[in-house]
């Protein structure tokens, strides 16, 4: 094979359509390249067919001019379509026997025949005349159309019409097979010589014929669809796949081959998908991926494939929908992924039918014993993909393996954890959590006693969200006592920063500043409550600012005692200065402690909001949250608390159900010392959130006082996550709060503002002054009021 041939065969894989177009264009000068490409695209079809066509033409391009077989059927179709498009140099297909030019194809193997030469002639088994063969009788002997094999089984042939509606001779062979072995209808259907017999058995079984027995797979003994022949028996698709297992030549996985390479070696489905030759550039995302569908603009990958806009049969919204396999009705992505308590059985399952108010699960939608088989352990109907227990029973077994000690018993402190995880309604989520990261390792060590069940033992593990979640689960189930995690995290951060400083004097100052000032003040302000993430961040910034200043002084061969005002101002105006305002807090502390002298670093005073007020946009957003039902109720409530009551996301996230009370027909929320009565629409959202709040954690049913539960059991949603949800609603957090607080400061005295919104009185006074409100005579006015 020449180098050019090698290049053509390589191009047949990379660009089959382009290669076919070029080969045709070299022969046919009359048609343009675009016309040829359109014909080739219509005939070549998908990737596999186009590659086979390109390889065949590259191996023998002379077929374009002589039209002679042997050649694949696709080449004959291409020649016919090119002739229809006006090609004059391209030869039509030619009969291999008589040489007649063909307009349609009849094929035997790789050869093309005309209508006269293509029919088989033989001696009829009935009349003995050599004629054209019409069919074969029940014994497989050839017969002409003048000698039909009629018998008394025409009634059975009519009953089989649905099994093979367009193949009368095939239906007759089915009748003969049933006549020879009637036991095929009573459980031995796996021995059926024809596939349609199994379809016939299913139709009779669906019609209610009690004497008909559906056959089981002879290998796995499941009563499922069996139509694949294997060793003289009909088996199910899973058993066929297991019988064809080979080792993939690329990844080494032992699976049923999806295809074979050029040398005939097996390739698994994963390697077939990952093969660069089978990937194309998606016209939507621009990534090289497998093709899901083709459009006039080009190929589209599965992630970008557009779904049709249909009316969801469950929620009633017009949205991108897929058709349910159970009901054949459209179902949007939200309903497809959202679990709910079934109206009939009461279990938390995926929604398959019904409505949003009255959802139905899969077993209640279609109680098919074959589809929803009972779990062998608990007896509940589940869609079991393989023999074995259901997800809930599998979860219980896995938990016992992880938490049991050497005696096979679960320690007393971990029994509540076992019960909480085993009783979760989202078993698949719990199984994914147990199999991710170091969760299984940590739980095994705790159950076996290799790691003590203490906070200090968990502190020895690498920091990360996985360890934090494990700790929160243990605390929520009572296995560990509750502690202030933010304070513990800050203490570890202080220790690391102090020990990382270069000089002994600097480490002493940092330890003194962090321990006896920052941490002490934070504990005093918390008043026994847990430290918030915002407080943690402020303390960290103050400590890092001190570290930056001391590092700069060390680089300049200075200390706090030898630093002068000129040196401090030189640092403040340098290009690499960081956290300037926070560093001022450290300098003022050092002055109060007599660590340094003759330094001045005044604090910056707040002179009012720095961003423009936009009251119209604030009220427009509030009206949208009040009336737009498509938004999540919890997001609408949180946004209204920010827009109407100037609450930061950090304050909203830490609200509990005790902050909302319904008395005397009115709903009140306690943001400060005095409860505030909520308007009717906001009150309805608040009560709805109290009743329907749900955590995203695995232990979603764990009792939690938080109004907005977070992703960790026993914890509220983080301030950052709450802020992100509000930003997605189009709310500018700082501007919206400043506008709301500015407006409230013009309408209420500072004392009332502080007591109702839960802000400090000094802050309320500053906002009142910024709003130019004059409430100096308010107390005198109240004292002069007379009671009627």
């Amino acid at each position: 094979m020449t180098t050019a041939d090698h290049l053509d065969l390589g191009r047949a894989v990379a660009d089959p359509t382009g290669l076919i177009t070029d080969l045709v264009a070299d022969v046919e000068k009359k048609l343009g390249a675009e016309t040829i490409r359109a014909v080739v695209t219509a005939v070549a079809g998908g990737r596999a067919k186009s590659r086979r066509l390109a390889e065949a033409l590259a191996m023998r391009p002379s077929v374009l001019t002589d039209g002679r077989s042997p050649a694949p059927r696709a080449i004959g179709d291409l020649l016919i379509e090119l002739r229809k498009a006006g090609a004059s140099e391209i030869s039509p297909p030619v009969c291999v026997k008589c040489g007649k030019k063909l307009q349609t194809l009849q094929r035997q193997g790789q050869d093309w025949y005309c209508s006269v030469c293509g029919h088989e002639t033989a001696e009829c088994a009935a009349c003995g005349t050599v004629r054209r063969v019409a069919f074969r009788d029940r014994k497989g002997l050839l017969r002409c159309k003048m000698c039909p094999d009629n018998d008394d089984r025409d009634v059975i042939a009519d009953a089989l019409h649905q099994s093979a509606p367009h193949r009368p001779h095939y239906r007759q062979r089915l009748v003969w097979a049933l006549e020879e072995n009637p036991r095929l209808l009573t459980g031995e259907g796996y021995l059926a010589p024809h596939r349609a017999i199994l379809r016939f058995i299913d139709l009779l079984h669906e019609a209610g014929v009690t004497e008909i027995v559906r056959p089981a797979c002879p290998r796995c003994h499941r009563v499922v669809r069996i139509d694949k022949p294997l060793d003289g028996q009909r088996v199910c698709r899973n058993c066929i796949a297991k019988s064809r297992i080979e080792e993939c030549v690329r990844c080494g996985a032992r699976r049923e081959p999806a295809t074979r390479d050029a040398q005939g070696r097996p390739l698994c489905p994963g390697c077939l998908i990952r093969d660069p030759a089978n990937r194309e550039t998606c016209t939507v995302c621009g990534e090289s991926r497998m093709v899901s569908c083709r459009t006039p603009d080009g190929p589209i990958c599965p992630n970008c494939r557009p779904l049709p806009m249909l009316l969801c049969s469950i929620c009633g919204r017009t949205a991108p929908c897929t058709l349910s396999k159970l009901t054949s009705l459209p179902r949007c992505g939200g309903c497809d992924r959202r679990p709910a308590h079934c109206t009939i059985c009461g279990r938390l399952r995926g929604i398959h039918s019904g409505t949003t108010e009255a959802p139905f699960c899969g077993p209640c939608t279609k109680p098919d014993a074959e589809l929803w088989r009972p779990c062998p352990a608990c007896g509940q109907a589940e869609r079991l993909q393989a023999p074995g227990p259901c997800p809930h029973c599998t979860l219980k077994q896995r938990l016992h393996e992880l938490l049991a000690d050497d005696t096979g018993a679960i320690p007393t402190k971990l029994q509540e954890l076992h019960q909480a995880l085993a009783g979760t309604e989202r078993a698949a989520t719990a199984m994914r959590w147990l199999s991710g990261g170091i969760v299984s390792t940590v739980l095994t060590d705790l159950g076996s006693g290799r790691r003590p069940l203490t906070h200090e033992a968990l502190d020895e593990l690498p920091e990360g969200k996985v360890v934090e979640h494990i700790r929160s689960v243990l605390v929520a189930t009572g296995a560990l006592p509750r502690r202030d995690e933010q304070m513990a995290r800050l203490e570890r951060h202080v220790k690391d920063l102090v020990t990382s400083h270069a000089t002994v004097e600097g480490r002493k100052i940092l330890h003194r500043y962090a321990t006896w000032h920052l941490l002490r003040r934070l504990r005093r302000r918390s008043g026994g409550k847990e430290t918030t993430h915002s407080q943690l961040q402020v303390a960290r910034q103050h400590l890092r600012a001190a570290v930056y200043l001391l590092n700069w002084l060390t680089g300049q061969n200075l200390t706090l005692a030898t630093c002068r005002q000129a040196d401090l101002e030189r640092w403040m105006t340098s290009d690499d200065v960081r956290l300037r305002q926070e560093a001022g807090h450290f300098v003022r502390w050092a002055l109060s402690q007599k660590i340094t002298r003759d330094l001045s670093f005044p604090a910056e005073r707040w002179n009012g909001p720095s961003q423009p007020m936009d009251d119209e946009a604030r009220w427009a957003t509030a009206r949208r949250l009040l009336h737009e039902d498509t938004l999540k109720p919890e997001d609408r409530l949180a946004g209204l608390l920010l827009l109407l009551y100037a609450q930061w996301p950090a304050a909203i996230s830490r609200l509990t159900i005790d902050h909302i009370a319904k008395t005397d027909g009115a709903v009140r929320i306690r943001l400060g010392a005095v409860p505030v009565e909520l308007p009717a629409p906001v009150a309805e959202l608040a009560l709805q959130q109290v009743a329907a709040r749900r955590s995203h954690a695995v232990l979603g049913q764990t009792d939690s006082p938080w109004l907005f539960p977070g992703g960790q059991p026993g914890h509220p949603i983080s301030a950052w996550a709450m802020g992100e949800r509000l930003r997605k609603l189009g709310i500018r957090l700082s501007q919206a709060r400043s506008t709301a607080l500015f407006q409230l400061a013009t309408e209420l005295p500072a004392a009332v503002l502080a007591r109702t919104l839960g802000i400090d009185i000094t802050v309320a006074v500053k906002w009142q002054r910024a709003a130019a409100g004059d409430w100096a005579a308010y107390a005198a006015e109240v004292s002069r009021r007379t009671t009627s």
Side-chain angles (χ1 to χ4, degrees):
M1 184 178 290
T2 63
T3 304
D5 293 335
H6 279 293
L7 293 175
D8 285 346
L9 291 179
R11 192 181 173 194
V13 176
D15 183 22
T17 304
L19 175 60
I20 299 171
T21 303
D22 292 343
L23 292 175
V24 174
D26 291 341
V27 176
E28 181 56 49
K29 307 300 183 183
K30 184 177 179 180
L31 297 180
E34 293 299 327
T35 304
I36 297 175
R37 178 176 288 274
V39 174
V40 171
T41 303
V43 174
R47 182 189 296 113
K49 183 178 178 181
S50 62
R51 286 177 177 175
R52 291 194 299 268
L53 179 57
E55 290 175 359
L57 281 179
M59 294 295 294
R60 194 168 75 87
S62 61
V63 70
L64 295 172
T65 56
D66 58 27
R68 293 193 173 276
S69 55
R73 170 67 182 265
I75 291 183
D77 294 336
L78 178 62
L79 298 180
I80 293 174
E81 293 301 324
L82 288 173
R83 296 285 297 184
K84 291 180 180 180
S88 58
E89 301 297 330
I90 299 297
S91 172
V94 175
C95 177
V96 70
K97 286 189 175 182
C98 65
K100 179 182 178 180
K101 295 182 178 180
L102 307 177
Q103 294 183 355
T104 58
L105 284 182
Q106 297 188 37
R107 187 167 56 98
Q108 294 181 8
Q110 293 285 314
D111 292 323
W112 304 329
Y113 293 88
C114 64
S115 59
V116 177
C117 302
H119 286 285
E120 180 184 4
T121 58
E123 182 179 352
C124 177
C127 63
T129 306
V130 177
R131 290 179 177 175
R132 181 182 297 178
V133 176
F135 63 95
R136 292 178 181 269
D137 60 13
R138 71 182 68 187
K139 297 180 181 180
L141 301 178
L142 302 177
R143 289 202 181 195
C144 65
K145 66 179 181 178
M146 304 300 295
C147 301
D149 190 8
N150 295 324
D151 54 20
D152 297 331
R153 301 292 189 265
D154 292 337
V155 177
I156 300 177
D158 293 337
L160 292 174
H161 181 76
Q162 282 187 287
S163 301
H166 305 295
R167 303 173 63 186
H169 299 300
Y170 183 54
R171 291 200 300 267
Q172 202 168 35
R173 287 197 294 270
L174 302 187
V175 174
W176 297 336
L178 292 173
E179 182 184 34
E180 293 177 1
N181 186 8
R183 292 189 301 273
L184 296 176
L185 300 174
T186 57
E188 296 185 5
Y190 60 89
L191 299 175
H194 305 293
R195 182 179 182 180
I197 292 179
L198 299 169
R199 171 64 176 161
F200 177 61
I201 294 174
D202 290 339
L203 291 173
L204 292 179
H205 185 269
E206 293 175 2
V209 181
T210 57
E211 292 80 5
I212 301 299
V213 179
R214 297 185 63 197
C217 176
R219 296 206 170 196
C220 65
H221 307 292
R222 296 184 303 149
V223 181
V224 293
R225 181 180 179 183
I226 55 172
D227 55 4
K228 307 295 181 183
L230 180 64
D231 298 335
Q233 297 177 334
R234 300 273 174 176
V235 300
C236 66
R237 182 65 186 85
N238 288 347
C239 294
I240 281 289
K242 293 177 182 178
S243 68
R244 297 174 180 173
I245 288 179
E246 296 185 50
E247 184 175 340
C248 178
V249 296
R250 292 188 183 178
C251 66
R254 292 187 57 80
R255 301 180 63 183
E256 180 186 11
T259 187
R260 297 183 181 272
D261 59 10
Q263 290 76 35
R265 298 175 299 178
L267 295 177
C268 69
C271 293
L272 173 64
I273 295 175
R274 291 189 293 269
D275 192 343
N278 294 331
R279 291 172 172 255
E280 299 183 33
T281 301
C282 176
T283 56
V284 178
C285 63
E287 299 290 336
S288 179
R289 293 176 177 170
M290 62 178 296
V291 177
S292 177
C293 63
R294 298 184 183 273
T295 64
D297 297 329
I300 297 180
C301 68
N303 293 342
C304 301
R305 181 179 182 179
L307 294 176
M309 298 294 292
L310 300 172
L311 184 66
C312 179
S313 60
I314 298 176
C315 64
R317 295 188 302 113
T318 300
C321 294
T322 57
L323 295 181
S324 171
K325 295 181 179 179
L326 288 183
T327 63
S328 299
L329 297 176
R331 184 171 57 177
C332 67
C335 295
D336 188 24
R337 293 185 295 268
R338 183 174 66 250
H341 289 278
C342 177
T343 308
I344 299 178
C345 66
R347 296 189 63 189
L348 182 70
R349 296 174 181 259
I351 301 175
H352 284 270
S353 63
T355 62
T356 305
E357 292 75 17
F360 296 157
C361 66
C364 295
T365 299
K366 187 176 181 181
D368 188 347
E370 181 178 316
L371 183 62
W372 311 99
R373 293 183 289 115
C375 171
C378 65
Q380 293 288 344
E382 297 287 349
R383 191 169 187 174
L384 303 179
Q385 304 296 335
C390 66
H392 283 87
C393 296
T394 304
L395 174 62
K396 293 178 182 179
Q397 295 176 3
R398 179 60 176 159
L399 286 172
H400 191 274
E401 293 173 0
L402 295 176
L403 300 178
D405 56 16
D406 296 337
T407 62
I410 298 177
T412 305
K413 291 185 177 181
L414 296 178
Q415 287 181 358
E416 189 172 348
L417 171 65
H418 177 271
Q419 295 175 1
L421 286 175
T424 182
E425 293 178 327
R426 291 174 281 182
T429 304
M431 284 296 295
R432 287 194 297 269
W433 180 66
L434 291 175
S435 61
I438 59 173
V439 177
S440 58
T441 303
V442 173
L443 294 183
T444 302
D445 292 344
L446 294 177
S448 62
R450 292 190 295 268
R451 185 182 298 275
L453 187 57
T454 60
H455 284 289
E456 291 73 17
L458 295 181
D459 290 338
E460 298 174 357
L461 297 171
E463 291 189 23
K465 292 185 177 180
V466 177
V467 177
E468 291 179 12
H469 197 87
I470 295 174
R471 191 194 306 271
S472 65
V473 171
L474 293 173
V475 171
T477 55
L480 282 178
R482 185 175 297 276
R483 75 170 184 179
D484 191 343
E485 289 301 325
Q486 304 288 3
M487 182 62 71
R489 191 176 295 113
L490 180 59
E491 290 174 350
R492 293 195 300 269
H493 185 70
V494 166
K495 182 179 179 181
D496 294 340
L497 275 183
V498 169
T499 55
S500 64
H501 191 67
T503 64
V504 177
E505 182 183 358
R507 289 196 292 270
K508 291 180 179 180
I509 294 175
L510 287 175
H511 180 268
R512 182 177 172 185
Y513 174 62
T515 304
W516 299 107
H517 181 67
L518 293 180
L519 295 179
R520 181 182 179 185
R521 185 181 63 169
L522 186 56
R523 290 191 180 97
R524 184 177 67 252
R525 289 185 175 181
S526 299
K529 299 180 181 179
E530 290 189 2
T531 307
T532 65
H533 183 72
S534 300
Q535 293 173 324
L536 170 68
Q537 289 297 101
V538 170
R540 279 182 171 180
Q541 289 181 356
H542 282 123
L543 185 57
R544 283 199 295 266
V547 172
Y548 294 151
L549 178 57
L550 290 178
N551 288 341
W552 183 84
L553 292 175
T554 302
Q556 302 295 321
N557 295 322
L558 296 172
T559 63
L560 276 178
T562 60
C563 178
R564 295 296 177 259
Q565 186 67 28
D567 300 324
L568 181 61
E569 293 177 355
R570 183 157 53 92
W571 172 77
M572 294 171 61
T573 56
S574 63
D575 295 335
D576 57 347
V577 62
R578 302 170 65 181
L579 300 176
R580 183 188 290 110
Q581 295 183 10
E582 290 76 6
H585 182 275
F586 172 65
V587 172
R588 289 190 293 274
W589 171 82
L591 285 170
S592 66
Q593 298 297 317
K594 310 297 190 215
I595 299 176
T596 185
R597 299 176 183 274
D598 301 330
L599 291 182
S600 176
F601 204 129
E604 296 184 8
R605 294 186 178 275
W606 184 77
N607 296 318
S610 59
Q611 295 184 349
M613 303 290 103
D614 193 351
D615 201 47
E616 293 184 2
R618 165 176 165 252
W619 282 112
T621 306
R623 283 190 292 269
R624 180 169 64 90
L625 296 180
L626 283 171
H627 304 294
E628 193 166 335
D629 296 336
T630 57
L631 301 176
K632 294 182 178 180
E634 58 267 28
D635 292 347
R636 296 167 61 192
L637 176 61
L640 290 170
L641 291 177
L642 171 62
L643 295 170
L644 302 181
Y645 301 102
Q647 297 297 302
W648 270 117
I652 297 173
S653 65
R654 298 190 68 82
L655 291 175
T656 66
I657 57 176
D658 296 332
H659 285 88
I660 296 177
K662 184 177 181 180
T663 55
D664 301 331
V667 178
R668 294 178 175 85
I669 185 170
R670 182 168 49 82
L671 303 174
V674 179
V676 180
E677 184 174 344
L678 296 175
V682 184
E684 182 179 351
L685 290 174
L687 294 178
Q688 184 178 353
Q689 178 62 13
V690 171
R693 64 198 173 94
R694 182 175 179 84
S695 172
H696 298 286
V698 175
L699 300 179
Q701 298 302 315
T702 301
D703 291 336
S704 175
W706 303 109
L707 185 62
F708 299 94
Q712 294 183 357
H715 289 259
I717 186 174
S718 66
W720 178 86
M722 176 61 74
E724 284 299 306
R725 294 175 69 165
L726 296 178
R727 290 187 188 95
K728 291 180 180 179
L729 296 177
I731 301 176
R732 297 182 178 181
L733 305 182
S734 180
Q735 184 181 25
R737 181 180 183 270
S738 298
T739 304
L741 200 53
F742 188 88
Q743 182 65 30
L744 292 172
T746 62
E747 300 173 355
L748 298 174
V752 177
L753 194 68
R755 296 180 65 192
T756 54
L757 300 187
I759 60 177
D760 191 80
I761 184 62
T762 58
V763 176
V765 170
K766 290 180 180 179
W767 272 100
Q768 180 184 325
R769 291 174 180 172
D774 185 9
W775 290 89
Y778 177 73
E781 174 65 24
V782 172
S783 66
R784 287 194 296 267
R785 293 176 183 173
T786 59
T787 59
S788 56

